[in-house]
């Protein structure tokens, strides 16, 4: 009978810990993904089965929920996808461009009361969005933007004015980590402040820009309240607002199609996250969000 060697004895506790750790992680993953899996399974259930069957798998496969949900309204659901995509992409462009310029001013330029205005900007992070809704609505109403020919102006114009203080702060923290010697070298070569921004800060700020773009897209795609306030026409609705129409005040609820469209509405966010996952992790690690 051959006795086990010390190396094998040491390897067994490590292997056991690895198995236990993997099992715990799989259990946590199952708990986290269960609501999503349940929603996908429910999207294939019939109207009555959704209420009676709380399990994941449907007893009777009903793929018609997807076609019914897509053509449930007078306007095709593709219109809502187009509206959400347009609003999300323009918000990404506006936030990335305006917040980058504002962050460059706070991080690199010298102007009167710079510290005061930076503190005011940080202070806006403490204001709940709902507190600002009524003043903003009155202001946009006076501009003629509410109920006008282009109802998306209240949603998009502020994004081009660096109103997202979180992204400005994120980029400021990132730019403060860039050596100022690069600015001095560019000045020696005759670069103006705009030239320093264009040829030094802009290329080096790519990780922060990517992080801003990803979070802007996801948050705007899922945003509901502001879009509900400013969008009144069915053809102008985005996906979050359109989803509320599946349950009306008369009790005629299309729950199955609602779950089916909920699954489809998650796909762009999921694909966007998968496509830019590496850049998102890189941006978080290098743009001041790390602990």
């Amino acid at each position: 009978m051959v006795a086990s060697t010390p190396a094998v004895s040491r390897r067994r506790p490590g292997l056991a810990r690895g198995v236990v750790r993997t099992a715990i992680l799989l259990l946590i993953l199952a708990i986290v993904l269960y609501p999503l899996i349940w929603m996908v399974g429910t999207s294939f259930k019939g109207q009555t089965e959704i209420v009676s069957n709380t399990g994941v798998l449907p007893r009777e496969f009903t793929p018609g929920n997807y076609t019914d949900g897509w053509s449930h309204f007078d306007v095709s659901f593709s219109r809502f996808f187009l509206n959400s995509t347009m609003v999300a992409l323009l918000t990404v462009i506006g936030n990335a461009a305006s917040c980058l310029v504002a962050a460059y001013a706070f991080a690199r330029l010298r102007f009167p009361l710079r510290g005061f205005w930076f503190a005011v900007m940080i202070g806006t992070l403490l204001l709940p969005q709902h507190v600002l809704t009524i003043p903003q609505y009155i202001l946009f109403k006076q501009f003629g933007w509410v109920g006008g020919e282009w109802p998306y102006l209240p949603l998009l114009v502020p994004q081009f004015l660096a109103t997202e203080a979180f992204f400005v702060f994120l980029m400021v923290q990132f730019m403060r980590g860039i050596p100022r010697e690069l600015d001095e070298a560019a000045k020696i070569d005759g670069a103006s402040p705009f030239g320093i921004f264009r040829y030094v800060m802009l290329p080096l700020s790519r990780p922060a820009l990517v992080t801003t773009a990803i979070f802007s897209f996801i948050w705007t795609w899922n945003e509901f309240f502001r879009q509900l306030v400013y969008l009144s026409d069915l053809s102008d609705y985005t996906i979050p607002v359109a989803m509320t129409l599946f349950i009306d005040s008369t009790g005629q609820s299309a729950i199955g199609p609602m779950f089916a469209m909920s699954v489809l509405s998650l796909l762009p966010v999921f694909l966007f996250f998968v496509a830019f996952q590496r850049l998102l992790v890189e941006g978080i690690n290098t743009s001041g969000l790390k602990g």
Side-chain angles (χ1 to χ4, degrees):
M1 183 174 179
V2 180
S4 59
T5 62
V8 175
S9 300
R10 289 193 301 268
R11 193 181 302 120
R12 285 176 180 173
L15 179 61
R17 286 194 297 268
V19 172
V20 172
R21 188 182 301 113
T22 302
I24 293 175
L25 291 177
L26 290 177
L27 178 61
I28 296 175
L29 180 64
I31 295 174
V32 172
L33 293 181
Y34 178 80
L36 178 61
I37 298 174
W38 183 86
M39 184 176 66
V40 174
T42 304
S43 67
F44 292 102
K45 297 178 183 178
Q47 186 79 3
T48 57
E49 186 182 353
I50 293 177
V51 180
S52 60
N53 180 15
T54 58
V56 174
L57 298 178
R59 301 191 190 100
E60 183 179 351
F61 194 68
T62 312
N65 287 335
Y66 285 86
T67 56
D68 293 344
W70 195 263
S71 57
H72 183 78
F73 308 107
D74 296 335
V75 178
S76 173
F77 213 83
S78 59
R79 177 73 180 184
F80 306 140
F81 267 94
L82 180 62
N83 294 339
S84 287
T85 303
M86 181 267 297
V87 172
L89 292 181
L90 288 179
T91 298
V92 167
I93 296 173
N95 276 339
S98 62
C99 293
L100 182 66
V101 173
Y104 174 70
F106 282 124
R108 285 304 207 249
L109 301 183
R110 302 290 181 182
F111 55 90
L113 299 177
R114 184 183 66 164
F116 170 76
W117 291 118
F118 185 74
V120 170
M121 182 207 68
I122 296 299
T124 60
L125 292 172
L126 305 177
L127 294 175
Q129 181 61 41
H130 299 79
V131 174
L132 304 175
T133 299
I134 295 178
Q136 288 178 346
Y137 185 89
I138 295 175
L139 180 65
F140 296 147
K141 185 72 174 179
Q142 293 175 347
F143 289 165
W145 293 355
V146 179
E149 297 182 358
W150 187 251
Y152 302 107
L153 288 178
L155 301 175
L156 297 177
V157 171
Q159 311 307 322
F160 286 84
L161 300 176
T163 57
E164 293 290 346
F166 171 78
F167 296 126
V168 176
F169 175 73
L170 178 128
M171 292 185 180
V172 167
Q173 293 301 105
F174 179 83
M175 290 183 181
R176 284 175 176 173
I178 298 176
R180 287 189 175 271
E181 289 77 6
L182 298 176
D183 298 21
E184 300 299 329
K187 288 180 181 178
I188 293 174
D189 291 337
S192 63
F194 177 78
I196 296 174
F197 170 77
R198 169 65 179 85
Y199 297 105
V200 178
M201 304 304 297
L202 182 59
L204 295 178
S205 299
R206 177 173 169 267
L209 281 173
V210 170
T211 304
T212 299
I214 293 175
F215 279 113
S216 294
F217 181 87
I218 295 176
W219 291 350
T220 305
W221 187 271
N222 295 325
E223 186 183 32
F224 170 73
F225 183 72
R226 291 179 65 245
Q227 297 173 3
L228 177 66
V229 170
Y230 294 110
L231 302 179
S232 56
D233 234 0
L234 178 63
S235 59
D236 298 327
Y237 279 2
T238 55
I239 290 178
V241 181
M243 294 298 297
T244 63
L245 301 179
F246 284 105
I247 302 179
D248 54 30
S249 59
T250 63
Q252 301 296 324
S253 303
I255 303 179
M258 180 187 68
F259 276 107
M261 294 302 100
S262 298
V263 173
L264 293 182
S265 67
L266 291 177
L267 289 179
V269 176
F270 176 76
L271 295 176
F272 195 87
F273 179 79
V274 170
F276 297 99
Q277 180 182 10
R278 181 182 61 82
L279 296 176
L280 175 63
V281 174
E282 176 187 349
I284 292 177
N285 289 335
T286 58
S287 57
L289 285 182
K290 56 186 177 181

